[in-house]
Amino acid sequence: YRAGALKQQNKPHKGRKPRGGAQRRAGGRVPAKTLSRRRRDLTKPDRRHQALQLRRQRKEAVLAEKRSLGSKDGPPHLVVVVPLHAGVVTHDVLRLLQSDESALVHKSERAEGFVLLCPRFKQRWRFVTPHTGNLHAVLDLAKAADTLLFVLDPLDGWDSTGDYCLSCLFAQGLPSYAVAVHGVADLPQKKQTDAKKKLGKAIEKRFPEAKLFPLNTEQESLLLLRHLAAQKQRHLAFRDRRAYLLVQDAEFMPSHDSDLVGTLKVSGFVRGRTLNVNSLLHIVGHGDFQMSQVDAPPDPFSLNSRVAKDQQRKGQDMEIQDDSADPRRQESLQSEVIPDPMEGEQTWPTEEELKEAEESLKERRKVVKVPKGTSNYQAAWIVDDGEDGSEEEEEDNMEDEDLMEEASQVGESSEEEELVEEECETVTVAESARDDLYDEKLDEDEEQMLEKYKQERLDQMFPDEVDTPRNLPARVRFQKYRGLKSFRTSPWDPKENLPRDYARIFQFQDFSRTRKHVFRQIENEETEGAAVGWYVTIHICSVPISVMESFRLGLPLVLFSLLPHEQKMSVLNFVVRRHLGNNETVKAKEELIFHCGFRRFRASPLYSQHSSADKHKLERFLRPDAALVVTVYAPITFPPASVLLFKQRSNGMHDLMATGFLLSVDPDRIIIKRLVLSGHPFKIFTKTAVVRYMFFNREDVLWFKPVELRTKWGRRGHITEPLGTHGHMKCHFDGQLKSQDTVLLNLYKRVFPKWTYDPHVPEPVPWVRNEQQLPVQEVEME
């Protein structure tokens, strides 16, 4: 027997060499490949011991954080009381929380809340409750809160307004929370058990891990306080790497030049990270500012006098070291790049170019009839009636004509009223007869909503299809568009034909690398300044008086320190999904209100598809069935950060439109607007067809001849030649067309967002707690 070529050949066993002998022969030398894999050099007991040490370190860190919060060395435990039903009386809840006789209570003058010093638990709390129905106040306090205390109604739990508030809080990011019910003892004895069971089932959906605490007596309030002090703290990603504080007291000092701008002195406890006086400070809802000085006065809420003396001594030391900001190390407030108009390359024109310029000027000169005594400069601004303008100018002219017509109608009606006034007599009109004015307003709003709804429906049925104009050549109307062989694979230079606003923004060579470097620098380097838990007074420069006025009204003032580069403007991209409770049509470039991490601003965004390609198709509306990418000009923010999109109604209320997260800071993201021109097959042969109604003149057919055609039923082809002078064209396809098919031609253009960033957001109208006057989308949900 002779073995064939396919006989299995087993690999010979080489044996296993003893590891100790190899180590002795190496003489202490370690190969280069094992330098990065030192864990493999450890023995099994060593690896087990290392894992045990890491586990112990994490446990000690969690315990240290829990012990420091609310203790004598840490900041007071900040608890925000959020009522979720109109029937909850917040004043009674706060009274129960301060019912401990051994505790010391410091009440606040401007806001609803108090500071509770409890020697029994060796803890101190600060309880704050927002103004009734103020959504901005709830979201701002949740950004800085350690714990949210949700208070439910014993019968209904939460109403539709409370459910709307929970949706916003979950989308922004929820810190540690507790759920309590107030008023169960006031119910009849037979209904108390049923009410508790009903509430227990209700909170399982929203709060699966929460325990429902009754809040009716002093003993129950003490149990709730003990739970708040012992529960595990949940972290919010956007505030873990920044210093922040909730303002306890504020004082405004006007500057010498103006009473509207001055220095704002705010006091509060430092949280999160160490606060450096040279970094920038962001006041939520008001903008970015510089600090001139940070002082550390004695802690007014210390548990004993000895701690107060130690804190005072620390404060005196800090005043000597970090009394004021260092101008050489202080961050700049410059948010935009100042573009240089002479920065581009400029060559001296040749004689031929000068002659061509003179000839073009002669051709552009026009004869316009002007009044006597008019200079050449004034005559240049008089536009001839026959001059063609752009689309935006035509729209502006149309609006002006409409305004003129309305004014003339008002004038004519006023003259008619003067003529008829003598023949009429004064009659008292009943109040119900004025309902027509309300109907007129309602009709106007409904007409606008109906028009937007029609546009959205047409865009869904015929995506990106437009009609070719008959009074204007298509090569002129669509001169900024181009054809692509393939939307996915065809190249598009991201630096081509950038708008002038791109000269004002900042861009990173590698944003993810810069983000990692900044975060690594925060973790490894020790920051000088006010440590976490210190009670400090911050002097903020050039603050408008409106900040102090909002604080006097009882609105919360929350401060966040900025990381490097976060004051600079760039292009931000967010991934959002439409909120299920809102069905209103939202068009692209329509102004929305953004809650991005710790920021709040207004902008007009663009919507595009969320894909992994290098080009992304523009969406004309905020789609309800898919995740979209929202693009705006805004200050740089390092992810992770949540985002909420609100739309302001005509009555001042804010409706939640979409929720999501920050994707990237990337000005090179290419957003492509697509236009589709459609034609009808007139005569069909085997693979050839005559198409009409796509163009209306011969020159347009020749102009768009290189662009590839496609049909709705999957055929592909190209224009062969024009037929006649009315826009008919002969086309060749890869298969025979059907008579009911439609021929399409795709054109593409890159679009950019509008510079509409505004950091000042008006305060919303408070929620109406009456169920009959709730927002429209909430009533529809019910």
Side-chain angles (χ1 to χ4, degrees):
Y1 173 74
R2 182 174 296 175
L6 300 178
K7 184 176 182 297
Q8 179 179 349
Q9 299 289 336
N10 293 329
K11 192 173 182 180
H13 182 63
K14 297 182 179 179
R16 185 173 181 181
K17 297 180 180 179
R19 191 171 182 180
Q23 291 179 352
R24 285 194 299 271
R25 285 192 298 272
R29 296 187 299 271
V30 180
K33 291 184 178 180
T34 59
L35 284 175
S36 60
R37 296 180 292 180
R38 293 184 178 179
R39 190 173 181 274
R40 292 187 178 182
D41 295 340
L42 297 176
T43 60
K44 188 174 182 179
D46 292 341
R47 291 197 302 270
R48 186 180 299 167
H49 182 63
Q50 188 181 32
L52 181 64
Q53 285 181 332
L54 292 174
R55 208 161 44 240
R56 192 173 296 164
Q57 288 176 3
R58 295 193 193 99
K59 185 178 180 180
E60 290 176 356
V62 171
L63 290 175
E65 180 187 9
K66 190 182 296 185
R67 293 191 190 103
S68 64
L69 182 62
S71 64
K72 60 180 182 179
D73 298 325
H77 194 139
L78 180 58
V79 181
V80 179
V81 182
V82 182
L84 296 180
H85 196 277
V88 176
V89 183
T90 313
H91 180 71
D92 294 343
V93 176
L94 297 179
R95 182 176 51 80
L96 280 171
L97 290 172
Q98 54 184 325
S99 58
D100 187 6
E101 297 179 354
S102 62
L104 202 64
V105 180
H106 297 270
K107 293 187 177 181
S108 177
E109 299 178 358
R110 293 185 176 88
E112 293 186 13
F114 58 92
V115 177
L116 183 67
L117 305 178
C118 191
R120 180 187 299 187
F121 300 125
K122 296 182 179 179
Q123 290 280 321
R124 50 182 181 170
W125 287 273
R126 183 183 177 189
F127 290 91
V128 182
T129 181
H131 282 243
T132 304
N134 194 332
L135 179 62
H136 283 352
V138 174
L139 294 177
D140 290 349
L141 287 173
K143 291 180 175 70
D146 298 316
T147 304
L148 295 180
L149 178 59
F150 297 113
V151 186
L152 309 182
D153 184 74
L155 293 177
D156 301 329
W158 56 77
D159 54 11
S160 56
T161 309
D163 188 72
Y164 177 64
C165 175
L166 285 177
S167 300
C168 298
L169 288 173
F170 274 97
Q172 178 179 266
L174 206 62
S176 302
Y177 61 88
V179 185
V181 56
H182 174 65
V184 178
D186 299 335
L187 298 176
Q189 189 69 29
K190 295 181 179 180
K191 292 185 178 181
Q192 290 184 10
T193 306
D194 296 338
K196 290 179 181 178
K197 289 181 180 179
K198 183 181 176 182
L199 289 177
K201 292 180 180 179
I203 67 173
E204 283 181 359
K205 297 180 180 179
R206 282 284 192 175
F207 312 100
E209 300 177 357
K211 179 185 176 183
L212 186 62
F213 288 88
L215 191 58
N216 301 294
T217 62
E218 179 183 351
Q219 186 178 3
E220 291 174 348
S221 66
L222 291 176
L223 289 175
L224 179 60
L225 288 177
R226 190 184 297 273
H227 171 73
L228 295 179
Q231 71 175 349
K232 184 180 179 181
Q233 293 298 311
R234 300 176 63 180
H235 294 272
L236 294 181
F238 65 85
R239 73 182 188 186
D240 283 346
R241 297 180 176 90
R242 300 171 177 89
Y244 63 95
L245 77 159
L246 178 64
V247 174
Q248 184 85 27
D249 195 10
E251 180 185 357
F252 184 78
M253 298 178 62
S255 62
H256 299 288
D257 301 333
S258 174
D259 294 338
L260 301 178
V261 180
T263 301
L264 183 67
K265 296 181 180 180
V266 295
S267 300
F269 290 91
V270 179
R271 303 172 185 270
R273 293 277 177 176
T274 303
L275 178 64
N276 189 359
V277 69
N278 294 316
S279 61
L280 297 180
L281 207 62
H282 177 78
I283 304 178
V284 177
H286 299 282
D288 304 334
F289 302 94
Q290 284 182 332
M291 294 178 283
S292 61
Q293 185 177 339
V294 176
D295 302 331
D299 189 348
F301 309 113
S302 60
L303 289 171
N304 52 57
S305 58
R306 184 173 57 83
V307 176
K309 291 180 180 179
D310 295 343
Q311 185 70 21
Q312 185 176 7
R313 186 171 64 253
K314 288 181 182 178
Q316 292 173 356
D317 296 341
M318 181 186 170
E319 284 183 338
I320 296 173
Q321 295 175 4
D322 296 333
D323 188 19
S324 59
D326 187 359
R328 295 172 297 178
R329 300 170 56 189
Q330 195 170 24
E331 290 281 347
S332 173
L333 272 174
Q334 182 183 0
S335 61
E336 301 177 17
V337 179
I338 302 175
D340 186 6
M342 304 298 293
E343 189 176 4
E345 295 184 2
Q346 178 68 40
T347 56
W348 191 259
T350 61
E351 294 182 0
E352 297 178 356
E353 291 175 346
L354 290 173
K355 289 180 180 179
E356 290 177 2
E358 290 179 0
E359 292 176 359
S360 63
L361 284 175
K362 290 179 182 178
E363 293 177 357
R364 291 179 186 174
R365 287 174 185 169
K366 59 191 177 190
V367 179
V368 182
K369 294 181 180 180
V370 297
K372 291 183 179 180
T374 306
S375 62
N376 295 333
Y377 177 78
Q378 293 172 334
W381 288 92
I382 299 177
V383 182
D384 191 13
D385 295 337
E387 185 180 2
D388 294 332
S390 62
E391 295 176 12
E392 297 179 358
E393 292 174 353
E394 291 178 1
E395 293 177 1
D396 294 339
N397 293 336
M398 291 287 289
E399 292 177 1
D400 294 340
E401 289 175 3
D402 294 340
L403 291 174
M404 292 293 291
E405 288 178 4
E406 291 177 5
S408 62
Q409 290 175 3
V410 171
E412 292 173 2
S413 61
S414 61
E415 292 176 0
E416 292 175 1
E417 288 174 2
E418 290 176 1
L419 293 173
V420 183
E421 188 177 5
E422 299 176 356
E423 303 176 2
C424 299
E425 60 181 3
T426 305
V427 179
T428 304
V429 181
E431 186 69 22
S432 60
R434 301 185 200 174
D435 291 344
D436 297 338
L437 300 176
Y438 174 77
D439 291 339
E440 288 178 6
K441 274 189 176 182
L442 192 63
D443 290 343
E444 291 177 4
D445 295 340
E446 286 186 352
E447 283 294 330
Q448 294 178 1
M449 293 175 63
L450 180 62
E451 185 63 29
K452 289 170 62 176
Y453 177 73
K454 285 181 179 179
Q455 293 178 6
E456 186 180 21
R457 290 286 296 169
L458 284 174
D459 189 61
Q460 290 177 359
M461 297 171 62
F462 308 100
D464 303 323
E465 288 192 31
V466 296
D467 296 330
T468 306
R470 301 194 63 179
N471 57 350
L472 188 67
R475 62 187 183 277
V476 177
R477 170 64 181 86
F478 307 117
Q479 59 185 347
K480 294 183 179 180
Y481 292 82
R482 67 178 72 174
L484 294 178
K485 179 69 176 176
S486 171
F487 182 80
R488 186 177 61 87
T489 60
S490 297
W492 196 301
D493 187 6
K495 303 297 183 183
E496 177 186 0
N497 294 333
L498 296 178
R500 191 174 295 272
D501 289 335
Y502 263 52
R504 303 164 59 184
I505 64 174
F506 290 84
Q507 183 177 4
F508 297 101
Q509 188 173 3
D510 189 347
F511 177 73
S512 60
R513 184 178 178 182
T514 305
R515 172 177 168 271
K516 290 179 182 178
H517 173 71
V518 170
F519 287 176
R520 195 183 303 116
Q521 189 176 5
I522 294 171
E523 295 293 336
N524 297 336
E525 295 184 3
E526 294 184 1
T527 307
E528 298 178 355
V532 177
W534 284 15
Y535 184 81
V536 297
T537 299
I538 305 173
H539 300 246
I540 310 174
C541 306
S542 304
V543 180
I545 196 174
S546 58
V547 181
M548 188 63 192
E549 290 175 352
S550 65
F551 182 72
R552 286 171 181 164
L553 294 175
L555 299 177
L557 213 58
V558 182
L559 279 63
F560 277 86
S561 65
L562 296 181
L563 300 180
H565 313 295
E566 282 194 331
Q567 79 279 13
K568 301 172 182 176
M569 295 290 292
S570 188
V571 179
L572 271 63
N573 303 301
F574 309 94
V575 178
V576 300
R577 277 192 175 272
R578 187 71 180 265
H579 183 53
L580 297 177
N582 198 303
N583 299 321
E584 187 179 349
T585 302
V586 183
K587 200 174 182 181
K589 297 184 180 179
E590 193 171 348
E591 186 180 75
L592 297 178
I593 297 171
F594 288 73
H595 286 250
C596 173
F598 57 89
R599 292 187 184 273
R600 185 168 70 238
F601 57 89
R602 291 186 292 175
S604 301
L606 290 179
Y607 308 125
S608 59
Q609 292 181 352
H610 183 36
S611 61
S612 58
D614 60 340
K615 295 180 289 296
H616 311 274
K617 188 177 113 31
L618 174 77
E619 292 289 346
R620 289 176 168 82
F621 295 91
L622 184 60
R623 301 290 184 192
D625 53 351
L628 297 180
V629 176
V630 176
T631 303
V632 291
Y633 289 110
I636 294 170
T637 303
F638 290 106
S642 59
V643 62
L644 285 78
L645 271 62
F646 292 87
K647 183 180 178 182
Q648 184 171 356
R649 287 197 214 163
S650 57
N651 59 1
M653 295 185 68
H654 292 178
D655 295 339
L656 181 62
M657 292 287 130
T659 60
F661 60 91
L662 176 60
L663 176 64
S664 64
V665 181
D666 185 15
D668 287 343
R669 179 183 171 88
I670 302 175
I671 303 175
I672 302 297
K673 180 180 181 180
R674 183 181 71 174
L675 283 186
V676 179
L677 305 182
S678 58
H680 175 65
F682 177 45
K683 296 178 181 179
I684 300 175
F685 303 100
T686 306
K687 288 189 177 181
T688 308
V690 178
V691 181
R692 61 179 177 178
Y693 302 150
M694 182 178 289
F695 304 108
F696 298 100
N697 57 71
R698 184 183 183 90
E699 290 77 11
D700 287 343
V701 177
L702 294 173
W703 181 268
F704 290 99
K705 185 178 178 181
V707 184
E708 187 182 15
L709 301 176
R710 68 177 182 88
T711 69
K712 288 191 174 181
W713 287 18
R715 300 286 118 202
R716 292 191 175 272
H718 59 274
I719 301 173
T720 306
E721 57 180 346
L723 300 175
T725 60
H726 289 74
H728 292 203
M729 55 187 183
K730 185 178 179 181
C731 304
H732 184 78
F733 295 92
D734 58 356
Q736 187 171 4
L737 294 185
K738 303 292 183 181
S739 59
Q740 61 267 36
D741 203 352
T742 306
V743 181
L744 306 175
L745 183 142
N746 294 338
L747 298 175
Y748 303 94
K749 179 186 75 168
R750 186 179 179 185
V751 292
F752 302 90
K754 288 185 176 181
W755 193 289
T756 55
Y757 170 77
D758 186 5
H760 304 289
V761 179
E763 290 294 330
V765 173
W767 302 325
V768 181
R769 288 286 184 177
N770 187 359
E771 295 293 332
Q772 297 177 355
Q773 301 179 6
L774 284 173
V776 176
Q777 71 273 15
E778 301 298 332
V779 176
E780 290 178 356
M781 286 176 63
E782 290 179 326

